[in-house]
Amino acid sequence: QNAKPMLAGIDYFIVIAYIIGMLLLGLYFKKFVNSSEDYFLGGKSLPFWAIGMSIVVSDIGALDFVGVSGQAYRYGISVGNFDWVGSVPAMLLAAFIFIPYFWRGGMYTIPEYLGRRYNQKVRTIASVTWILFFALDLGVLFWASAVLLNVLMGWPIWISIVATAGVVGLYTYFGGITAVIMTDVVQFVIMFIGGFALVFLSLYEVGGWDNMVDKIATMGPEYRNHFDIIQPQDTKSPFPWTGILFGLTFVMANAYMIGNQSIVQRCLTAKNEWHAKASMIFGSALKMFIPILVLFPGLMAVVVHPGLLDGDQALPMMIKSILPPGLVGLMFAAFFAGLMSSVDSLLNSTATLFTKDIYEPFIKKGADDKHYLKVGQITTLVLLLIGVATSPISSDFPGIYVAIQTFMSYFQGPIFAILLLGIFWKRTTEWGGLSALVIGIGFAIYLNVFKEQFFTIEDPFLYISWWSFLLGFIINVVVSLLTKKHTEEQLKGLVFSSKILVENKKL
């Protein structure tokens, strides 16, 4: 059913002005796109502060605003580990160890590094895997927009999805990653203003933090662990301490910040190596504030709107009931900012993966640069259609946050295993990497399909990521020791013990 819209005239004005402003800003950067490098890497000309803000805002879009608030409503503050524990250490590791190799090597994509370190088969499998994930991720993000638009404005689900796809697709198609990053800067500012306004007003509504804690404590035994950042092993939530430690801290966080194309590609647009490193460090500092924005409204909704059947409605309901006219429009713009920044980054990153890792090597080698630029733009349009078509999938999961983390558990463990060994262990071979990737992904799929037989919690994505990483790591080591090692010449600039080579002639 469509909800009754709750926006006042001033709210509609703010939302429409925001959407038009983002479109015009994004289209302004069309004039800077003259080559495929401009489209995919922004001509390697962007500053660290813009990239850092873009990394954060694209990572915490609609998924976190709606999804993390929903998980906090259901399970409490333990979901904050995904930012505090699950992002900051991994971002610092990426900044000082991995980003310099990717940036100096003139890479366009993470699979491109894997192809140089292992072989073309590893590059292709990794790239196809990320493309499939990003396509599904787009669908989840479109569904998240539909949830909010339905509650706030009463729009039907499909109208919401198509409207979102149209707005973001237009400036991403024309402006490439420069438009993506520079619109993200504005979206970051709007998101923080709107988000903190909701947090402070919600805190006032529930009578302060201590009063909220006391009220939730009296609401029943299911809320006894709501304020435990470390959840016990027997918790009913998807975030037990063992899963957080092994699955999140050791595997998923590092795999996401180091091996995720949509994150790393931003760093590759930096004007020099210092800016590339600084962008990730600056982003990690901003990340510390994110749980306050996205988690607290869900907690306070337990008091203000108890008994919601769908936790993902906690944030939209808080916006409706707490914010006055004007601020509702600003918060909606903040939400839409997060959504647009996540969608535009996925569109551009997937277009990069397809063009550089699939189309150029296998479909048309040696074409002129304008041809690859056009292929990237066409891929962007096709991805929009795929994202719209797959958007209902996330409705089958207990919350959109769990949906996306489950998709990632199918492949993040094995990919991180071969990235880690590829950088730090010279002895790992092409067959070690290939067998670890294929068997590891197959194992993760098996665990996901038959999870009821192996795990007691409903959504064991953290454990699946850990065990598939461990298996991929062991297989890579064993097979590498049994197969022919690479020569020193082949490893130059690709492993931690060798000097980083500068292959990009523009440097």
Side-chain angles (χ1 to χ4, degrees):
Q1 291 185 347
N2 296 331
K4 181 182 178 182
M6 296 293 290
L7 296 188
I10 183 65
D11 298 316
Y12 281 109
F13 174 79
I14 290 172
V15 170
I16 292 169
Y18 163 75
I19 292 174
I20 293 174
M22 285 298 98
L23 269 175
L24 294 176
L25 179 63
L27 291 173
Y28 167 78
F29 290 99
K30 177 179 183 292
K31 68 179 184 180
F32 297 107
V33 178
N34 300 307
S35 68
S36 62
E37 185 183 59
D38 293 337
Y39 193 76
F40 297 129
L41 295 182
K44 288 207 164 189
S45 62
L46 296 173
F48 79 92
W49 54 268
I51 299 169
M53 293 167 80
S54 179
I55 289 171
V56 172
V57 76
S58 65
D59 183 41
I60 63 156
L63 187 62
D64 289 72
F65 264 114
V66 174
V68 177
S69 290
Q71 296 300 86
Y73 186 89
R74 297 182 189 92
Y75 305 119
I77 65 171
S78 60
V79 70
N81 283 312
F82 279 80
D83 284 303
W84 287 321
V85 176
S87 294
V88 176
M91 292 174 81
L92 295 176
L93 181 65
F96 289 107
I97 304 294
F98 291 87
I99 294 300
Y101 283 85
F102 300 148
W103 189 89
R104 280 191 156 193
M107 314 289 180
Y108 279 81
T109 70
I110 301 297
E112 184 180 348
Y113 168 80
L114 293 174
R116 293 187 195 178
R117 180 61 182 87
Y118 293 102
N119 59 29
Q120 189 67 35
K121 297 184 184 68
V122 172
R123 176 181 181 177
T124 304
I125 293 170
S127 187
V128 169
T129 302
W130 273 111
I131 289 170
L132 290 173
F133 165 72
F134 283 155
L136 289 173
D137 198 354
L138 274 174
V140 174
L141 292 170
F142 285 145
W143 192 263
S145 72
V147 169
L148 187 92
L149 288 168
N150 180 256
V151 172
L152 281 183
M153 304 180 74
W155 290 7
I157 293 290
W158 281 107
I159 289 179
S160 306
I161 292 170
V162 171
T164 305
V167 171
V168 184
L170 195 60
Y171 72 74
T172 308
Y173 174 87
F174 287 110
I177 197 164
T178 305
V180 169
I181 290 176
M182 298 315 292
T183 53
D184 282 354
V185 170
V186 179
Q187 290 163 344
F188 176 93
V189 174
I190 292 173
M191 182 186 295
F192 265 60
I193 293 172
F196 275 112
L198 178 63
V199 168
F200 288 130
L201 290 173
S202 298
L203 204 56
Y204 177 80
E205 178 72 19
V206 299
W209 179 266
D210 291 338
N211 194 48
M212 177 189 68
V213 173
D214 293 340
K215 286 183 178 179
I216 292 178
T218 63
M219 295 178 74
E222 65 268 27
Y223 294 100
R224 74 178 188 276
N225 296 324
H226 236 56
F227 293 93
D228 295 339
I229 189 76
I230 306 298
Q231 293 282 335
Q233 173 62 33
D234 61 352
T235 180
K236 292 183 179 179
S237 86
F239 317 120
W241 73 267
T242 47
I244 292 293
L245 177 62
F246 293 104
L248 176 65
T249 308
F250 291 162
V251 180
M252 290 192 79
N254 292 304
Y256 188 81
M257 289 299 171
I258 294 166
N260 186 330
Q261 178 68 24
S262 70
I263 298 293
V264 173
Q265 187 176 341
R266 282 163 163 67
C267 299
L268 302 182
T269 67
K271 61 174 69 176
N272 57 40
E273 185 185 338
W274 185 90
H275 279 265
K277 291 180 181 178
S279 65
M280 197 64 100
I281 298 169
F282 182 54
S284 70
L286 297 175
K287 261 285 193 179
M288 298 296 290
F289 297 97
I290 299 310
I292 300 172
L293 284 182
V294 298
L295 185 156
F296 283 15
L299 278 179
M300 291 179 266
V302 176
V303 175
V304 181
H305 297 286
L308 289 178
L309 295 178
D310 181 6
D312 285 345
Q313 287 197 343
L315 180 79
M317 293 298 289
M318 290 296 283
I319 293 173
K320 271 174 66 171
S321 60
I322 299 295
L323 295 183
L327 279 180
V328 173
L330 182 64
M331 187 61 204
F332 176 79
F335 177 91
F336 213 60
L339 178 85
M340 290 167 70
S341 65
S342 299
V343 171
D344 60 26
S345 67
L346 291 185
L347 286 172
N348 189 263
S349 296
T350 315
T352 308
L353 286 165
F354 177 78
T355 306
K356 303 303 292 186
D357 293 330
I358 306 298
Y359 186 87
E360 187 173 342
F362 296 110
I363 300 174
K364 192 163 184 176
K365 289 182 180 178
D368 64 82
D369 189 75
K370 294 290 184 184
H371 178 79
Y372 295 126
L373 171 59
K374 183 55 66 176
V375 169
Q377 292 177 318
I378 293 171
T379 305
T380 299
L381 294 180
V382 173
L383 283 165
L384 277 175
L385 297 176
I386 294 173
V388 170
T390 59
S391 58
I393 290 176
S394 63
S395 61
D396 295 332
F397 290 83
I400 58 175
Y401 197 72
V402 170
I404 203 65
Q405 298 295 338
T406 300
F407 292 152
M408 294 173 78
S409 72
Y410 279 83
F411 63 93
Q412 272 204 310
I415 285 183
F416 180 56
I418 65 174
L419 258 178
L420 196 64
L421 284 168
I423 283 277
F424 287 109
W425 192 41
K426 291 167 64 174
R427 185 63 180 83
T428 188
T429 68
E430 58 179 318
W431 299 112
L434 181 61
S435 56
L437 185 60
V438 172
I439 296 172
I441 291 176
F443 182 62
I445 292 172
Y446 175 77
L447 289 180
N448 266 296
V449 172
F450 299 102
K451 60 186 177 183
E452 293 84 2
Q453 300 177 22
F454 299 101
F455 307 103
T456 55
I457 60 176
E458 185 179 355
D459 300 291
F461 56 85
L462 290 171
Y463 292 111
I464 291 171
S465 297
W466 165 251
W467 289 116
S468 61
F469 163 79
L470 198 60
L471 180 66
F473 192 95
I474 293 170
I475 288 174
N476 198 345
V477 170
V478 172
V479 174
S480 292
L481 291 173
L482 297 174
T483 51
K484 182 181 177 182
K485 65 181 180 180
H486 292 288
T487 64
E488 291 293 327
E489 189 65 28
Q490 289 173 315
L491 295 177
K492 274 187 179 177
L494 297 174
V495 294
F496 190 68
S497 58
S498 72
K499 183 181 178 182
I500 302 177
L501 295 182
V502 181
E503 296 184 10
N504 190 342
K505 304 305 180 188
K506 283 192 173 184
L507 300 180

